[in-house]
Amino acid sequence: MPAALVITTMTTRQLLGVRRMILFGLAELAPAGVVLLMTQTLAQEAALDRFLAMVIALYFPLLVPIVTLVVAASALGDERRDGTLSFLVLRPIPRSAIALSKVGGAVIVAAGLNTFGAIALAVVYGIDSGSWDLVVPLAVGGAFASIAYASLFVPLGFFTDRAVLVGLAFVFIFENAVVSALSGLSSLSPWRIGMSGFAGLAPSEVAMELSDFGAVNLSGFGTALLRTVVIAALSVAATTMVLRRRDLT
């Protein structure tokens, strides 16, 4: 079995703690539960408004980044703190394979959790409205945002023991304050990249409704995909360089 696949499998298992999965699983179901309670007596158009309000106020800007942050910061950070990373890099394994495996493992877990939340949210809306057009777009958008966040937070967890604190500052101060005030920086916001992917795949009326909620400067599906790929590639390259040059003891 290739070394990269072995490391990816080990990283995925490391990040899939039982208590963590239960806690995050319940958190991922929270938006769906709220929508279920709010849409019982609403017409389809009003239900769509409530669904999109949950997507733009809770799912993308809060749930996806926080879940991904906690997961991804542990991928390299825990091994560096435990001292096991130094043993891994002593093996005849390319540092690029280690970096790719760590980022990949974090992406698998975070994207899996956030896709679960997206599907639950869209299914609840589908049951209420009879429309199932938003299941795949929301799942894809959540996956894009998860990949972008994991790509940022895996190396962050390596550099600092306070990765969660720094990551929360990035999410709440930069993304949800600075970028909200300076919309020209939206291309640097992972959850806006994910929302662009969602809007690009969703029916046209959904994009129009999102603009009413203040979701502006959405880049479209193709651009969102390209930005996600570029962020992931840069993360793997940067992590590889760090593993080659930084003292891991």
Side-chain angles (χ1 to χ4, degrees):
M1 183 180 295
L5 182 57
V6 173
I7 298 171
T8 302
T9 302
M10 293 176 58
T11 301
T12 302
R13 291 176 179 173
Q14 166 198 336
L15 299 176
L16 283 172
V18 175
R19 288 186 294 180
R20 175 182 288 176
M21 292 304 101
I22 293 174
L23 177 62
F24 285 160
L26 292 174
E28 294 286 353
L29 290 174
V34 174
V35 170
L36 181 63
L37 294 174
M38 295 175 66
T39 57
Q40 291 300 305
T41 59
L42 297 173
Q44 182 172 348
E45 183 178 353
L48 178 61
D49 288 343
R50 298 302 189 278
F51 169 80
L52 292 178
M54 193 59 54
V55 166
I56 199 171
L58 179 60
Y59 178 73
F60 275 115
L62 294 177
L63 186 62
V64 172
I66 290 174
V67 168
T68 308
L69 170 60
V70 175
V71 169
S74 303
L76 274 174
D78 286 354
E79 289 203 54
R80 183 183 62 81
R81 286 185 289 273
D82 295 343
T84 56
L85 182 60
S86 59
F87 293 101
L88 179 61
V89 298
L90 287 175
R91 295 179 176 274
I93 303 172
R95 302 296 170 89
S96 58
I98 297 174
L100 179 62
S101 300
K102 290 298 183 179
V103 173
V107 165
I108 290 170
V109 176
L113 286 168
N114 291 321
T115 300
F116 168 69
I119 292 174
L121 180 55
V123 165
V124 167
Y125 170 73
I127 293 172
D128 183 71
S129 66
S131 173
W132 302 93
D133 294 340
L134 300 180
V135 177
V136 172
L138 188 59
V140 171
F144 280 8
S146 300
I147 294 169
Y149 276 120
S151 298
L152 294 177
F153 294 149
V154 167
L156 179 64
F158 175 83
F159 278 111
T160 175
D161 294 339
R162 298 184 177 181
V164 172
L165 182 61
V166 175
L168 290 175
F170 172 80
V171 172
F172 286 103
I173 297 176
F174 177 73
E175 287 197 281
N176 294 338
V178 176
V179 176
S180 295
L182 302 173
S183 58
L185 298 176
S186 59
S187 62
L188 302 178
S189 171
W191 74 257
R192 289 175 175 84
I193 293 174
M195 184 171 291
S196 294
F198 162 62
L201 290 179
S204 57
E205 61 268 19
V206 171
M208 296 176 60
E209 290 285 343
L210 285 172
S211 64
D212 293 338
F213 283 98
V216 296
N217 292 337
L218 296 180
S219 59
F221 177 81
T223 303
L225 174 61
L226 177 61
R227 288 173 178 170
T228 302
V229 171
V230 169
I231 291 172
L234 290 175
S235 172
V236 172
T239 305
T240 299
M241 185 178 300
V242 167
L243 291 175
R244 287 173 176 167
R245 299 186 178 182
R246 189 176 175 89
D247 183 10
L248 303 178
T249 58

